[in-house]
Amino acid sequence: MPVALVALAVVAFAIGTTEFAAMGLLPQIADGMAVSIPRAGWLISAYALGVVLGAPLLSALAARLHRVPRKQILMGFAGLFALGNLLCAVAPSFWFLAGARVIAGLPHGAFFGAGAVAAAELAPRHLRARAVSVMFAGLTIANIVGVPAATLLGQHLGWRATMLVVVGIAVLGLVLIGRLVPQLSSDARPGLRQELGAFRSGQLWLALATVVFGCGGFFACYSYIAPMMTDVAHFADGTVTLILALFGVGMTLGNVVGGWAADRALRPSMCAAFLLVAVVLVAFAWTAHVKWAAAVTVLVIGFAGFAIVPTAQTLVMEKARQAPTLASATVQAAFNLANAGGAYLGGAAIAAGFGLTSPNLVGAGLAFAGFGIASVAWRLERRAPRASRVVAGGGPVAEQDGPRLRSGHPS
């Protein structure tokens, strides 16, 4: 794999650290800002809001600047992310901090969207999904190393120190992109009108719906993993960090295997991953009561949940191949909608009195819905007549987008 992928992975590591470390640092942030922990929890939502807003808006801006090399676009996104975290580190008030979290989240989806396209182009065609998974490995490794280390650092030196370290990692990634990422043929990329035209594909909308529903199942569980481990499995509070690191190990393995599988059989790999998430979450409603079984299940959930990431990202780029950047970034907005929706529905189940393990059953239902949408899209694709299209690099390839879905509505 090209060494340039390391530069993309470093920025992904910084993004993953700042996104998830806030969950472990909420008590410190609440104390430092003199607010309650629930109020401090708004900072997680603020970051997600930034992602949802920034993914389409910044990607659309990049499309308008289609004469600017993709390498410089990536460096700009990394610089904006570093600036947002620097503002977080020096925030004088809670609302300033919330605004800074929105700014930090803005380039998240746009960076992964443009980075996924760049990673795919840097690798041979038959290794594109694995190249995308290498970039996303930075995000998953952040859950193994970055988040626990950031939490520990924040507990001893304050949460502002954690933000400053993230700034340093982001700047390092920016420099590495400048040095390692070459000029890409996709620098002669389509403008905004052509990027928006990709959304006429019904198969693209089905892929995004698959992510919102299916990945919502993963997040319904992940959002409440800490209380499940302490109050149901009866792990000590200090052990939760290790459990989360185990979750991160599963994510990393799933990301690698998912990329490998997607290069061989994209649609079957996606359907299998969603089905595995649904089955394992059903099992977790019972295994959460036994320590060793809970730990093993956490590992498998992380594996299955992140096996979806490279398959979903690659599928969307395939369905919007002539103009993939905006569509690819929109996947990240879809992931964050899945995060918000899954967390809300899981919390609603707990609030309704169904118990701390009820988010697992809610998540299983959402994952199975994602499996259903993915299966329908696959079936429509297989039944559709083959029509030629032009790939980003040049020659015609087979397009399999159903006649009923090509315009986004029944014909």
Side-chain angles (χ1 to χ4, degrees):
M1 286 292 178
V3 68
L5 296 175
V6 173
L8 301 176
V10 169
V11 179
F13 178 88
I15 290 174
T17 300
T18 201
E19 180 180 15
F20 296 111
M23 300 173 186
L25 291 174
L26 283 185
Q28 287 75 29
I29 296 174
D31 289 343
M33 288 294 173
V35 297
S36 66
I37 288 182
R39 175 69 62 87
W42 292 2
L43 299 174
I44 298 172
S45 299
Y47 186 90
L49 175 64
V51 177
V52 173
L53 292 175
L57 293 179
L58 290 183
S59 296
L61 176 62
R64 290 291 299 272
L65 303 174
H66 61 95
R67 296 186 184 277
V68 178
R70 193 180 299 279
K71 174 178 178 176
Q72 272 67 48
I73 293 292
L74 288 167
M75 292 175 68
F77 290 157
L80 179 58
F81 173 77
L83 174 62
N85 280 278
L86 180 60
L87 292 174
C88 288
V90 300
S93 67
F94 175 79
W95 292 111
F96 188 101
L97 177 57
R101 285 284 290 177
V102 173
I103 293 172
L106 287 174
H108 177 128
F111 178 84
F112 279 118
V117 175
E121 186 171 335
L122 287 166
R125 179 165 179 78
H126 67 287
L127 296 176
R128 285 184 171 185
R130 267 177 279 185
V132 172
S133 75
V134 169
M135 181 189 70
F136 278 98
L139 185 65
T140 60
I141 292 173
N143 283 276
I144 302 174
V145 179
V147 173
T151 302
L152 188 64
L153 178 66
Q155 290 170 346
H156 287 81
L157 298 180
W159 59 270
R160 295 180 189 273
T162 296
M163 298 296 180
L164 289 174
V165 169
V166 169
V167 171
I169 297 172
V171 171
L172 172 62
L174 188 157
V175 172
L176 290 176
I177 290 173
R179 288 183 172 272
L180 300 179
V181 175
Q183 298 297 333
L184 303 167
S185 62
S186 63
D187 286 343
R189 59 191 185 275
L192 178 58
R193 181 173 296 180
Q194 191 172 350
E195 289 278 0
L196 291 173
F199 287 88
R200 290 195 297 267
S201 167
Q203 283 283 357
L204 176 58
W205 284 106
L206 284 174
L208 293 172
T210 302
V211 171
V212 172
F213 282 92
C215 293
F218 171 81
F219 287 113
C221 167
Y222 184 76
S223 300
Y224 303 98
I225 192 70
M228 273 191 268
M229 292 298 96
T230 55
D231 296 353
V232 178
H234 301 296
F235 282 102
D237 289 344
T239 310
V240 173
T241 301
L242 297 177
I243 296 296
L244 293 177
L246 188 63
F247 216 123
V249 170
M251 291 178 182
T252 302
L253 293 175
N255 182 58
V256 172
V257 174
W260 173 85
D263 278 326
R264 282 158 175 75
L266 182 58
R267 287 288 195 182
S269 299
M270 172 173 279
C271 291
F274 279 122
L275 188 58
L276 180 58
V277 170
V279 171
V280 175
L281 286 178
V282 170
F284 196 34
W286 285 271
T287 60
H289 295 272
V290 181
K291 282 186 177 181
W292 69 266
V296 171
T297 310
V298 162
L299 178 68
V300 178
I301 293 171
F303 174 89
F306 261 68
I308 297 166
V309 173
T311 59
Q313 199 79 43
T314 304
L315 178 63
V316 167
M317 288 191 294
E318 287 291 320
K319 293 305 168 189
R321 188 175 300 179
Q322 289 179 280
T325 305
L326 181 57
S328 181
T330 306
V331 177
Q332 298 303 311
F335 277 124
N336 276 268
L337 286 174
N339 189 350
Y344 173 78
L345 293 175
I350 295 174
F354 292 110
L356 283 174
T357 60
S358 60
N360 297 322
L361 297 179
V362 172
L366 291 171
F368 192 76
F371 167 76
I373 298 171
S375 299
V376 169
W378 184 18
R379 184 174 182 179
L380 289 172
E381 182 181 78
R382 294 181 67 179
R383 292 174 57 186
R386 300 170 73 88
S388 64
R389 69 179 175 185
V390 179
V391 301
V397 297
E399 165 67 77
Q400 294 181 329
D401 201 6
R404 292 173 179 262
L405 293 170
R406 191 174 297 131
S407 300
H409 55 78
S411 57

